[in-house]
Amino acid sequence: MSDLVGWADEYFWGAMVVLRVFAVSLVLSVIIGLVGAAMKLSRSRVANAIAGAYTVVFRGTPELLVLLIVYFGAAVTLTAIAQSVDPSIKFIDIPPFWAGAFAIALIVGAYMTETFRGAFLGVDPGHVEAARALGLSNLQTFIYVRIPQMWRLALPNFGNHMLSLMKDTALISVIGLEEIVFVAEMATSVTTKPFTMFMVVALIYLCITTVITLAVMALEKYANRHLEGSR
Amino acid sequence: MSEAKSEPIIVLEDVCKRFGDFQALTEVNLTVSRGERIVVCGPSGSGKSTMIRCINRLEEHDSGRIIVAGKELTGEVKDIDAVRREVGMVFQSFNLFPHLKVIDNLTLALRLVRKMPKTEARKVAVKYLERVYIPDQADKYPSQLSGGQQQRVAIARALCMNPEVMLFDEPTSALDPEMISEVLDVMRELAEEGMTMICVTHEMGFARSVADLMVFMDRGEIVETAPPGEFFENPRSDRTRLFLGQILSH
Amino acid sequence: MNFDVSLVVESIPRMLEGIGLTLQLLILSSAIGLVLAIITLLMRISGKWFLVAPAAIYIYFFRGTPILVQIFIIYYGLPQLEFIREGALWPVLREPFWCCVIALSLNGGAYVSEILRGGVLGVEKGVLEAASALGISRSQRFVYITSPIAIRLSIPAYSNDMISMVKSTALASTVTLLDMTGVARTIVAQTFAPYEIFIAAASIYLVMAWMIQKGFGLLERRMSRYVKAT
């Protein structure tokens, strides 16, 4: 137990890194998801095909592999580009934080695409028609009718994607990000208490995922408040 | 009128039931004799379904006594299973087992509850399918049958267990109009053969021709009971009059 | 910068050497995971608090923490505990392969148990009432009515979970195992060609995912013969 006290600081800062990666990756994945859904719902067959290929590839490929391709691939590409400009440059890579955030955003973005697409399709066309019949413009209909309804339908799955995203951040330790798994590895080499150290990591993740789950539950209740009380 | 109508087969004594704040049944008293055909009617929410569902313990009554075929309904699983063997139920939404063929829908309970061997159970099932006029549908799945056919299968399924009493919970309410009569005809034949039955329904024509006793319920209470002639021509309570006016007019 | 297709073609056979391990991990973990899932489900729906609580805690822990961390706890962490080191299972628990199988099974079991529970909840209440009205007992209802219907309802989600399981096997490469990803990483370290090698590996995984999806699609269609087409 006393071993832990010495490492509390490192764990704390590692957890901050995790939360930062989570936030960045989440924003990126939502943007990718919305773009992807728009492409899938559009009438352009090219857009449909690209988005379709994207979702299939990034939902079927192991997360670790995507991470490795992005990190090492970017390094190779950047180095090649840099060397063509300045041959003396030996090696350039992107920081693991950004490689990791981007890689995970690509993966979770594929799931988000499907969720947003399904949610948009689930908006009752009757509601949209009613809005038009009342005279609302396209944009107003989109903002005041489509988005709120789509959001409510997307929420449960969106919550699950957020949880996956959070748990995927642990993989970034493999490419060297100094977050809590990394801290545990360091702590283990010093204290030789791997079980304790990794259990702490698990418990930290458990706390974060619990908070996310509770937040999503509260949001779901809020989004569905107009439905409660009906028999 | 027959001699068989003597012994009470179902007795409800001061039965009360609430769902949370809502009082579904208040001091319900009813005695059903063997061979008697009872039709229960009333507005929605009046407790009609709740009452018959208490009889086979799909709902648990809070106070009062319910005695079926001599056994009192308590929390004892043994008693409940024994009662359910004697009481058959037909539901508004048929509730056939979707993953089993029609014939298997009928034989399942025979094999599991009465421990009948497969071949014997099949024979019984075929007999009852013939009784409801659809022996040729035996190897189909419920989803391939029309609503009227499905409900007749449901009736046959309940009859296979050879119950003493049949309970019908709005059996035709979920059917398209053209299929209602095929189900009512089967029920009428059952009644004529002397089956004791309690039927919750809005089909007043059926009620008039089949019932020995009409029971009118409103807001969880039995308001009035009377033989059909008296019930329809000369209802005693205002509430009954109001209800009859609403359903018989349009 | 060239994309060396010949390198892709050359390395696929080498990576397929890793597929044996990938498949072993997949099949063992899925099988054990399914058994765990069924046991956990029965505990969850038993209604008895001393069965429900452990099941709920198990599910909560394994769904709330990353698989990587679970693997590390079992592989790196268990050796810290004396009773493990001196126990009868030690020869098994020190092998990275079995540690991965255990971690993936425990993880899979938690997820699949929730999937099955979703299937059980999807069985129409009325159908179960009809069964009770006929006198069919609680355990008989579960075996003859609930289970067949719940299984059919669970297939799509289970298929997705199995695909996740395939992807999770790649994590075995983080504890020295030479599954497909492990082999790929080794080759990349030698050739410095991450795109070609990793994309080749990814395509093999995609083919596996596709096969699983098709397989379960067929199974679902077979089991849905009786469902009305709306």
mmCIF file of all heavy atoms in Angstrom, chain B residues 86-129:
data_model
loop_
_atom_site.group_PDB
_atom_site.id
_atom_site.type_symbol
_atom_site.label_atom_id
_atom_site.label_comp_id
_atom_site.label_asym_id
_atom_site.label_seq_id
_atom_site.Cartn_x
_atom_site.Cartn_y
_atom_site.Cartn_z
ATOM 1 N N GLU B 86 -56.377 -26.693 -14.406
ATOM 2 C CA GLU B 86 -57.834 -26.808 -14.575
ATOM 3 C C GLU B 86 -58.445 -25.605 -15.259
ATOM 4 O O GLU B 86 -59.633 -25.613 -15.590
ATOM 5 C CB GLU B 86 -58.496 -26.973 -13.201
ATOM 6 C CG GLU B 86 -57.955 -28.125 -12.398
ATOM 7 C CD GLU B 86 -58.006 -29.422 -13.186
ATOM 8 O OE1 GLU B 86 -58.918 -29.593 -14.016
ATOM 9 O OE2 GLU B 86 -57.121 -30.268 -12.981
ATOM 10 N N VAL B 87 -57.654 -24.537 -15.400
ATOM 11 C CA VAL B 87 -58.202 -23.307 -15.958
ATOM 12 C C VAL B 87 -57.490 -22.993 -17.263
ATOM 13 O O VAL B 87 -56.281 -22.848 -17.290
ATOM 14 C CB VAL B 87 -57.990 -22.136 -14.964
ATOM 15 C CG1 VAL B 87 -58.489 -20.837 -15.572
ATOM 16 C CG2 VAL B 87 -58.711 -22.426 -13.658
ATOM 17 N N GLY B 88 -58.260 -22.894 -18.338
ATOM 18 C CA GLY B 88 -57.645 -22.556 -19.617
ATOM 19 C C GLY B 88 -57.854 -21.077 -19.909
ATOM 20 O O GLY B 88 -58.862 -20.497 -19.511
ATOM 21 N N MET B 89 -56.873 -20.458 -20.566
ATOM 22 C CA MET B 89 -57.024 -19.028 -20.844
ATOM 23 C C MET B 89 -56.740 -18.692 -22.288
ATOM 24 O O MET B 89 -55.795 -19.219 -22.878
ATOM 25 C CB MET B 89 -56.072 -18.239 -19.947
ATOM 26 C CG MET B 89 -56.259 -16.748 -20.086
ATOM 27 S SD MET B 89 -55.803 -15.947 -18.566
ATOM 28 C CE MET B 89 -56.325 -14.291 -18.902
ATOM 29 N N VAL B 90 -57.557 -17.824 -22.841
ATOM 30 C CA VAL B 90 -57.359 -17.339 -24.206
ATOM 31 C C VAL B 90 -57.167 -15.828 -24.128
ATOM 32 O O VAL B 90 -57.962 -15.130 -23.516
ATOM 33 C CB VAL B 90 -58.574 -17.688 -25.093
ATOM 34 C CG1 VAL B 90 -58.421 -17.095 -26.476
ATOM 35 C CG2 VAL B 90 -58.718 -19.205 -25.184
ATOM 36 N N PHE B 91 -56.071 -15.353 -24.741
ATOM 37 C CA PHE B 91 -55.687 -13.954 -24.598
ATOM 38 C C PHE B 91 -56.106 -13.112 -25.793
ATOM 39 O O PHE B 91 -56.259 -13.601 -26.899
ATOM 40 C CB PHE B 91 -54.172 -13.826 -24.464
ATOM 41 C CG PHE B 91 -53.591 -14.524 -23.270
ATOM 42 C CD1 PHE B 91 -53.337 -15.887 -23.312
ATOM 43 C CD2 PHE B 91 -53.298 -13.823 -22.122
ATOM 44 C CE1 PHE B 91 -52.789 -16.538 -22.213
ATOM 45 C CE2 PHE B 91 -52.748 -14.461 -21.022
ATOM 46 C CZ PHE B 91 -52.499 -15.823 -21.065
ATOM 47 N N GLN B 92 -56.208 -11.811 -25.557
ATOM 48 C CA GLN B 92 -56.553 -10.891 -26.636
ATOM 49 C C GLN B 92 -55.522 -10.955 -27.754
ATOM 50 O O GLN B 92 -55.863 -10.939 -28.936
ATOM 51 C CB GLN B 92 -56.624 -9.467 -26.084
ATOM 52 C CG GLN B 92 -57.010 -8.432 -27.111
ATOM 53 C CD GLN B 92 -57.156 -7.058 -26.473
ATOM 54 O OE1 GLN B 92 -57.264 -6.918 -25.256
ATOM 55 N NE2 GLN B 92 -57.174 -6.045 -27.290
ATOM 56 N N SER B 93 -54.241 -11.032 -27.403
ATOM 57 C CA SER B 93 -53.216 -11.035 -28.452
ATOM 58 C C SER B 93 -52.701 -12.438 -28.759
ATOM 59 O O SER B 93 -51.560 -12.609 -29.144
ATOM 60 C CB SER B 93 -52.069 -10.107 -28.056
ATOM 61 O OG SER B 93 -51.718 -10.314 -26.713
ATOM 62 N N PHE B 94 -53.547 -13.433 -28.608
ATOM 63 C CA PHE B 94 -53.301 -14.841 -28.940
ATOM 64 C C PHE B 94 -52.129 -15.444 -28.151
ATOM 65 O O PHE B 94 -52.270 -16.479 -27.528
ATOM 66 C CB PHE B 94 -53.059 -15.114 -30.430
ATOM 67 C CG PHE B 94 -53.697 -14.159 -31.387
ATOM 68 C CD1 PHE B 94 -53.016 -13.717 -32.502
ATOM 69 C CD2 PHE B 94 -54.999 -13.710 -31.192
ATOM 70 C CE1 PHE B 94 -53.618 -12.861 -33.402
ATOM 71 C CE2 PHE B 94 -55.602 -12.843 -32.087
ATOM 72 C CZ PHE B 94 -54.897 -12.415 -33.197
ATOM 73 N N ASN B 95 -50.952 -14.789 -28.187
ATOM 74 C CA ASN B 95 -49.796 -15.300 -27.441
ATOM 75 C C ASN B 95 -49.407 -16.723 -27.796
ATOM 76 O O ASN B 95 -49.056 -17.523 -26.934
ATOM 77 C CB ASN B 95 -50.039 -15.185 -25.924
ATOM 78 C CG ASN B 95 -50.001 -13.736 -25.465
ATOM 79 O OD1 ASN B 95 -49.418 -12.884 -26.114
ATOM 80 N ND2 ASN B 95 -50.651 -13.469 -24.352
ATOM 81 N N LEU B 96 -49.461 -17.046 -29.070
ATOM 82 C CA LEU B 96 -48.972 -18.355 -29.496
ATOM 83 C C LEU B 96 -47.451 -18.336 -29.433
ATOM 84 O O LEU B 96 -46.832 -17.285 -29.529
ATOM 85 C CB LEU B 96 -49.431 -18.646 -30.929
ATOM 86 C CG LEU B 96 -50.926 -18.803 -31.116
ATOM 87 C CD1 LEU B 96 -51.250 -19.050 -32.585
ATOM 88 C CD2 LEU B 96 -51.444 -19.960 -30.276
ATOM 89 N N PHE B 97 -46.839 -19.521 -29.253
ATOM 90 C CA PHE B 97 -45.380 -19.594 -29.186
ATOM 91 C C PHE B 97 -44.857 -19.441 -30.609
ATOM 92 O O PHE B 97 -45.015 -20.330 -31.430
ATOM 93 C CB PHE B 97 -44.939 -20.918 -28.579
ATOM 94 C CG PHE B 97 -45.566 -21.202 -27.239
ATOM 95 C CD1 PHE B 97 -46.157 -22.430 -26.981
ATOM 96 C CD2 PHE B 97 -45.582 -20.242 -26.239
ATOM 97 C CE1 PHE B 97 -46.743 -22.698 -25.747
ATOM 98 C CE2 PHE B 97 -46.167 -20.498 -25.008
ATOM 99 C CZ PHE B 97 -46.752 -21.726 -24.765
ATOM 100 N N PRO B 98 -44.193 -18.305 -30.910
ATOM 101 C CA PRO B 98 -43.881 -17.999 -32.307
ATOM 102 C C PRO B 98 -42.881 -18.952 -32.934
ATOM 103 O O PRO B 98 -42.882 -19.136 -34.156
ATOM 104 C CB PRO B 98 -43.299 -16.582 -32.238
ATOM 105 C CG PRO B 98 -42.800 -16.428 -30.845
ATOM 106 C CD PRO B 98 -43.674 -17.267 -29.989
ATOM 107 N N HIS B 99 -42.045 -19.555 -32.124
ATOM 108 C CA HIS B 99 -40.969 -20.372 -32.674
ATOM 109 C C HIS B 99 -41.386 -21.827 -32.839
ATOM 110 O O HIS B 99 -40.566 -22.657 -33.239
ATOM 111 C CB HIS B 99 -39.740 -20.284 -31.770
ATOM 112 C CG HIS B 99 -39.984 -20.774 -30.373
ATOM 113 N ND1 HIS B 99 -40.902 -20.210 -29.516
ATOM 114 C CD2 HIS B 99 -39.442 -21.803 -29.688
ATOM 115 C CE1 HIS B 99 -40.892 -20.858 -28.368
ATOM 116 N NE2 HIS B 99 -40.028 -21.834 -28.440
ATOM 117 N N LEU B 100 -42.622 -22.156 -32.484
ATOM 118 C CA LEU B 100 -43.082 -23.534 -32.605
ATOM 119 C C LEU B 100 -44.191 -23.627 -33.629
ATOM 120 O O LEU B 100 -45.002 -22.715 -33.771
ATOM 121 C CB LEU B 100 -43.629 -24.031 -31.258
ATOM 122 C CG LEU B 100 -42.642 -24.122 -30.096
ATOM 123 C CD1 LEU B 100 -43.375 -24.572 -28.838
ATOM 124 C CD2 LEU B 100 -41.526 -25.083 -30.407
ATOM 125 N N LYS B 101 -44.232 -24.753 -34.346
ATOM 126 C CA LYS B 101 -45.337 -24.967 -35.271
ATOM 127 C C LYS B 101 -46.645 -25.076 -34.488
ATOM 128 O O LYS B 101 -46.635 -25.342 -33.285
ATOM 129 C CB LYS B 101 -45.120 -26.266 -36.048
ATOM 130 C CG LYS B 101 -43.934 -26.209 -36.953
ATOM 131 C CD LYS B 101 -43.878 -27.450 -37.835
ATOM 132 C CE LYS B 101 -42.559 -27.465 -38.589
ATOM 133 N NZ LYS B 101 -42.229 -28.815 -39.028
ATOM 134 N N VAL B 102 -47.738 -24.919 -35.216
ATOM 135 C CA VAL B 102 -49.055 -24.964 -34.589
ATOM 136 C C VAL B 102 -49.221 -26.238 -33.763
ATOM 137 O O VAL B 102 -49.628 -26.207 -32.594
ATOM 138 C CB VAL B 102 -50.143 -24.863 -35.678
ATOM 139 C CG1 VAL B 102 -51.482 -25.316 -35.146
ATOM 140 C CG2 VAL B 102 -50.227 -23.438 -36.192
ATOM 141 N N ILE B 103 -48.869 -27.377 -34.356
ATOM 142 C CA ILE B 103 -49.053 -28.644 -33.654
ATOM 143 C C ILE B 103 -48.215 -28.691 -32.379
ATOM 144 O O ILE B 103 -48.653 -29.179 -31.335
ATOM 145 C CB ILE B 103 -48.734 -29.835 -34.590
ATOM 146 C CG1 ILE B 103 -49.158 -31.147 -33.962
ATOM 147 C CG2 ILE B 103 -47.281 -29.892 -34.961
ATOM 148 C CD1 ILE B 103 -50.593 -31.493 -34.200
ATOM 149 N N ASP B 104 -47.009 -28.123 -32.434
ATOM 150 C CA ASP B 104 -46.138 -28.130 -31.258
ATOM 151 C C ASP B 104 -46.627 -27.147 -30.204
ATOM 152 O O ASP B 104 -46.402 -27.354 -29.013
ATOM 153 C CB ASP B 104 -44.699 -27.807 -31.656
ATOM 154 C CG ASP B 104 -44.122 -28.860 -32.569
ATOM 155 O OD1 ASP B 104 -44.365 -30.051 -32.309
ATOM 156 O OD2 ASP B 104 -43.452 -28.503 -33.553
ATOM 157 N N ASN B 105 -47.285 -26.074 -30.651
ATOM 158 C CA ASN B 105 -47.892 -25.151 -29.699
ATOM 159 C C ASN B 105 -48.877 -25.905 -28.819
ATOM 160 O O ASN B 105 -48.971 -25.659 -27.625
ATOM 161 C CB ASN B 105 -48.646 -24.032 -30.451
ATOM 162 C CG ASN B 105 -47.869 -22.724 -30.496
ATOM 163 O OD1 ASN B 105 -47.959 -21.923 -29.578
ATOM 164 N ND2 ASN B 105 -47.106 -22.525 -31.540
ATOM 165 N N LEU B 106 -49.609 -26.828 -29.457
ATOM 166 C CA LEU B 106 -50.617 -27.568 -28.708
ATOM 167 C C LEU B 106 -50.011 -28.664 -27.839
ATOM 168 O O LEU B 106 -50.463 -28.929 -26.734
ATOM 169 C CB LEU B 106 -51.646 -28.186 -29.668
ATOM 170 C CG LEU B 106 -52.864 -27.342 -29.992
ATOM 171 C CD1 LEU B 106 -52.478 -26.064 -30.696
ATOM 172 C CD2 LEU B 106 -53.831 -28.120 -30.856
ATOM 173 N N THR B 107 -48.959 -29.321 -28.351
ATOM 174 C CA THR B 107 -48.446 -30.469 -27.600
ATOM 175 C C THR B 107 -47.466 -30.091 -26.492
ATOM 176 O O THR B 107 -47.201 -30.899 -25.609
ATOM 177 C CB THR B 107 -47.732 -31.467 -28.532
ATOM 178 O OG1 THR B 107 -46.675 -30.768 -29.206
ATOM 179 C CG2 THR B 107 -48.683 -32.048 -29.541
ATOM 180 N N LEU B 108 -46.920 -28.888 -26.532
ATOM 181 C CA LEU B 108 -45.873 -28.545 -25.565
ATOM 182 C C LEU B 108 -46.318 -28.757 -24.126
ATOM 183 O O LEU B 108 -45.651 -29.445 -23.343
ATOM 184 C CB LEU B 108 -45.418 -27.092 -25.756
ATOM 185 C CG LEU B 108 -44.248 -26.687 -24.870
ATOM 186 C CD1 LEU B 108 -42.977 -27.401 -25.302
ATOM 187 C CD2 LEU B 108 -44.023 -25.186 -24.898
ATOM 188 N N ALA B 109 -47.472 -28.167 -23.760
ATOM 189 C CA ALA B 109 -47.922 -28.287 -22.372
ATOM 190 C C ALA B 109 -48.294 -29.725 -22.050
ATOM 191 O O ALA B 109 -48.039 -30.206 -20.939
ATOM 192 C CB ALA B 109 -49.104 -27.358 -22.123
ATOM 193 N N LEU B 110 -48.867 -30.432 -23.025
ATOM 194 C CA LEU B 110 -49.229 -31.828 -22.783
ATOM 195 C C LEU B 110 -47.997 -32.644 -22.426
ATOM 196 O O LEU B 110 -48.017 -33.470 -21.521
ATOM 197 C CB LEU B 110 -49.904 -32.427 -24.026
ATOM 198 C CG LEU B 110 -51.321 -31.958 -24.288
ATOM 199 C CD1 LEU B 110 -51.809 -32.492 -25.628
ATOM 200 C CD2 LEU B 110 -52.247 -32.425 -23.177
ATOM 201 N N ARG B 111 -46.907 -32.375 -23.134
ATOM 202 C CA ARG B 111 -45.700 -33.154 -22.870
ATOM 203 C C ARG B 111 -45.016 -32.717 -21.581
ATOM 204 O O ARG B 111 -44.538 -33.534 -20.800
ATOM 205 C CB ARG B 111 -44.722 -33.031 -24.046
ATOM 206 C CG ARG B 111 -45.230 -33.756 -25.290
ATOM 207 C CD ARG B 111 -44.212 -33.758 -26.409
ATOM 208 N NE ARG B 111 -43.923 -32.445 -26.915
ATOM 209 C CZ ARG B 111 -42.692 -31.968 -27.127
ATOM 210 N NH1 ARG B 111 -41.647 -32.711 -26.881
ATOM 211 N NH2 ARG B 111 -42.519 -30.749 -27.600
ATOM 212 N N LEU B 112 -44.965 -31.401 -21.342
ATOM 213 C CA LEU B 112 -44.222 -30.919 -20.184
ATOM 214 C C LEU B 112 -45.010 -31.010 -18.882
ATOM 215 O O LEU B 112 -44.449 -31.288 -17.835
ATOM 216 C CB LEU B 112 -43.806 -29.459 -20.389
ATOM 217 C CG LEU B 112 -42.787 -29.198 -21.495
ATOM 218 C CD1 LEU B 112 -42.485 -27.710 -21.582
ATOM 219 C CD2 LEU B 112 -41.508 -29.972 -21.247
ATOM 220 N N VAL B 113 -46.329 -30.725 -18.959
ATOM 221 C CA VAL B 113 -47.103 -30.648 -17.721
ATOM 222 C C VAL B 113 -47.813 -31.960 -17.428
ATOM 223 O O VAL B 113 -47.786 -32.452 -16.311
ATOM 224 C CB VAL B 113 -48.124 -29.493 -17.801
ATOM 225 C CG1 VAL B 113 -48.953 -29.419 -16.547
ATOM 226 C CG2 VAL B 113 -47.405 -28.189 -18.057
ATOM 227 N N ARG B 114 -48.448 -32.521 -18.474
ATOM 228 C CA ARG B 114 -49.150 -33.791 -18.250
ATOM 229 C C ARG B 114 -48.243 -34.981 -18.539
ATOM 230 O O ARG B 114 -48.668 -36.119 -18.432
ATOM 231 C CB ARG B 114 -50.391 -33.866 -19.150
ATOM 232 C CG ARG B 114 -51.399 -32.786 -18.838
ATOM 233 C CD ARG B 114 -52.780 -33.375 -18.576
ATOM 234 N NE ARG B 114 -53.800 -32.347 -18.564
ATOM 235 C CZ ARG B 114 -54.304 -31.819 -17.463
ATOM 236 N NH1 ARG B 114 -53.879 -32.203 -16.288
ATOM 237 N NH2 ARG B 114 -55.235 -30.891 -17.529
ATOM 238 N N LYS B 115 -47.013 -34.694 -18.923
ATOM 239 C CA LYS B 115 -46.008 -35.747 -19.179
ATOM 240 C C LYS B 115 -46.488 -36.791 -20.177
ATOM 241 O O LYS B 115 -46.197 -37.980 -20.052
ATOM 242 C CB LYS B 115 -45.626 -36.463 -17.864
ATOM 243 C CG LYS B 115 -45.362 -35.530 -16.702
ATOM 244 C CD LYS B 115 -43.893 -35.117 -16.660
ATOM 245 C CE LYS B 115 -43.548 -34.460 -15.351
ATOM 246 N NZ LYS B 115 -43.338 -33.022 -15.431
ATOM 247 N N MET B 116 -47.205 -36.331 -21.180
ATOM 248 C CA MET B 116 -47.701 -37.270 -22.185
ATOM 249 C C MET B 116 -46.614 -37.587 -23.188
ATOM 250 O O MET B 116 -45.848 -36.718 -23.565
ATOM 251 C CB MET B 116 -48.847 -36.594 -22.943
ATOM 252 C CG MET B 116 -50.160 -37.280 -22.833
ATOM 253 S SD MET B 116 -51.305 -36.508 -23.965
ATOM 254 C CE MET B 116 -52.633 -36.225 -22.841
ATOM 255 N N PRO B 117 -46.527 -38.835 -23.642
ATOM 256 C CA PRO B 117 -45.557 -39.140 -24.702
ATOM 257 C C PRO B 117 -45.946 -38.447 -26.011
ATOM 258 O O PRO B 117 -47.109 -38.142 -26.229
ATOM 259 C CB PRO B 117 -45.646 -40.662 -24.856
ATOM 260 C CG PRO B 117 -46.904 -41.067 -24.198
ATOM 261 C CD PRO B 117 -47.277 -40.025 -23.208
ATOM 262 N N LYS B 118 -44.954 -38.230 -26.859
ATOM 263 C CA LYS B 118 -45.123 -37.388 -28.035
ATOM 264 C C LYS B 118 -46.270 -37.834 -28.936
ATOM 265 O O LYS B 118 -47.078 -37.013 -29.382
ATOM 266 C CB LYS B 118 -43.803 -37.380 -28.821
ATOM 267 C CG LYS B 118 -43.634 -36.158 -29.686
ATOM 268 C CD LYS B 118 -42.182 -35.971 -30.104
ATOM 269 C CE LYS B 118 -42.136 -34.840 -31.147
ATOM 270 N NZ LYS B 118 -40.881 -34.700 -31.811
ATOM 271 N N THR B 119 -46.330 -39.134 -29.231
ATOM 272 C CA THR B 119 -47.344 -39.592 -30.182
ATOM 273 C C THR B 119 -48.745 -39.395 -29.643
ATOM 274 O O THR B 119 -49.666 -38.994 -30.363
ATOM 275 C CB THR B 119 -47.153 -41.077 -30.527
ATOM 276 O OG1 THR B 119 -46.661 -41.745 -29.365
ATOM 277 C CG2 THR B 119 -46.154 -41.238 -31.667
ATOM 278 N N GLU B 120 -48.920 -39.677 -28.354
ATOM 279 C CA GLU B 120 -50.244 -39.508 -27.765
ATOM 280 C C GLU B 120 -50.645 -38.036 -27.766
ATOM 281 O O GLU B 120 -51.780 -37.678 -28.099
ATOM 282 C CB GLU B 120 -50.217 -40.033 -26.331
ATOM 283 C CG GLU B 120 -51.577 -40.369 -25.777
ATOM 284 C CD GLU B 120 -51.490 -40.737 -24.308
ATOM 285 O OE1 GLU B 120 -50.492 -41.390 -23.942
ATOM 286 O OE2 GLU B 120 -52.392 -40.338 -23.557
ATOM 287 N N ALA B 121 -49.671 -37.179 -27.415
ATOM 288 C CA ALA B 121 -49.951 -35.741 -27.381
ATOM 289 C C ALA B 121 -50.379 -35.255 -28.765
ATOM 290 O O ALA B 121 -51.295 -34.446 -28.913
ATOM 291 C CB ALA B 121 -48.711 -34.987 -26.914
ATOM 292 N N ARG B 122 -49.711 -35.753 -29.773
ATOM 293 C CA ARG B 122 -50.044 -35.358 -31.141
ATOM 294 C C ARG B 122 -51.475 -35.714 -31.494
ATOM 295 O O ARG B 122 -52.177 -34.936 -32.125
ATOM 296 C CB ARG B 122 -49.091 -36.070 -32.116
ATOM 297 C CG ARG B 122 -48.216 -35.134 -32.924
ATOM 298 C CD ARG B 122 -47.592 -35.850 -34.106
ATOM 299 N NE ARG B 122 -48.042 -35.271 -35.357
ATOM 300 C CZ ARG B 122 -47.446 -34.256 -35.976
ATOM 301 N NH1 ARG B 122 -46.386 -33.703 -35.445
ATOM 302 N NH2 ARG B 122 -47.916 -33.796 -37.117
ATOM 303 N N LYS B 123 -51.883 -36.915 -31.047
ATOM 304 C CA LYS B 123 -53.252 -37.337 -31.372
ATOM 305 C C LYS B 123 -54.267 -36.391 -30.738
ATOM 306 O O LYS B 123 -55.250 -35.983 -31.369
ATOM 307 C CB LYS B 123 -53.504 -38.767 -30.838
ATOM 308 C CG LYS B 123 -52.851 -39.851 -31.637
ATOM 309 C CD LYS B 123 -53.605 -41.174 -31.486
ATOM 310 C CE LYS B 123 -52.708 -42.353 -31.825
ATOM 311 N NZ LYS B 123 -52.230 -43.081 -30.647
ATOM 312 N N VAL B 124 -54.024 -36.052 -29.471
ATOM 313 C CA VAL B 124 -54.920 -35.130 -28.781
ATOM 314 C C VAL B 124 -54.954 -33.795 -29.508
ATOM 315 O O VAL B 124 -56.016 -33.210 -29.748
ATOM 316 C CB VAL B 124 -54.442 -34.921 -27.316
ATOM 317 C CG1 VAL B 124 -55.281 -33.863 -26.633
ATOM 318 C CG2 VAL B 124 -54.493 -36.226 -26.545
ATOM 319 N N ALA B 125 -53.772 -33.322 -29.882
ATOM 320 C CA ALA B 125 -53.671 -32.022 -30.540
ATOM 321 C C ALA B 125 -54.455 -32.004 -31.845
ATOM 322 O O ALA B 125 -55.190 -31.059 -32.137
ATOM 323 C CB ALA B 125 -52.200 -31.688 -30.791
ATOM 324 N N VAL B 126 -54.299 -33.061 -32.631
ATOM 325 C CA VAL B 126 -55.003 -33.119 -33.916
ATOM 326 C C VAL B 126 -56.510 -33.098 -33.698
ATOM 327 O O VAL B 126 -57.265 -32.427 -34.410
ATOM 328 C CB VAL B 126 -54.578 -34.380 -34.704
ATOM 329 C CG1 VAL B 126 -55.477 -34.581 -35.897
ATOM 330 C CG2 VAL B 126 -53.130 -34.254 -35.142
ATOM 331 N N LYS B 127 -56.946 -33.826 -32.653
ATOM 332 C CA LYS B 127 -58.382 -33.856 -32.360
ATOM 333 C C LYS B 127 -58.912 -32.448 -32.110
ATOM 334 O O LYS B 127 -59.961 -32.052 -32.633
ATOM 335 C CB LYS B 127 -58.596 -34.734 -31.115
ATOM 336 C CG LYS B 127 -60.063 -34.909 -30.742
ATOM 337 C CD LYS B 127 -60.225 -35.868 -29.567
ATOM 338 C CE LYS B 127 -60.076 -35.102 -28.261
ATOM 339 N NZ LYS B 127 -60.347 -35.919 -27.068
ATOM 340 N N TYR B 128 -58.167 -31.664 -31.309
ATOM 341 C CA TYR B 128 -58.647 -30.321 -31.002
ATOM 342 C C TYR B 128 -58.498 -29.363 -32.173
ATOM 343 O O TYR B 128 -59.281 -28.430 -32.338
ATOM 344 C CB TYR B 128 -57.980 -29.780 -29.731
ATOM 345 C CG TYR B 128 -58.584 -30.383 -28.499
ATOM 346 C CD1 TYR B 128 -57.923 -31.387 -27.793
ATOM 347 C CD2 TYR B 128 -59.852 -30.001 -28.072
ATOM 348 C CE1 TYR B 128 -58.506 -31.968 -26.685
ATOM 349 C CE2 TYR B 128 -60.437 -30.581 -26.962
ATOM 350 C CZ TYR B 128 -59.757 -31.579 -26.270
ATOM 351 O OH TYR B 128 -60.341 -32.158 -25.182
ATOM 352 N N LEU B 129 -57.498 -29.596 -33.013
ATOM 353 C CA LEU B 129 -57.383 -28.768 -34.214
ATOM 354 C C LEU B 129 -58.590 -28.997 -35.115
ATOM 355 O O LEU B 129 -59.105 -28.066 -35.735
ATOM 356 C CB LEU B 129 -56.098 -29.095 -34.976
ATOM 357 C CG LEU B 129 -54.827 -28.424 -34.469
ATOM 358 C CD1 LEU B 129 -53.637 -28.854 -35.304
ATOM 359 C CD2 LEU B 129 -54.952 -26.909 -34.503
#
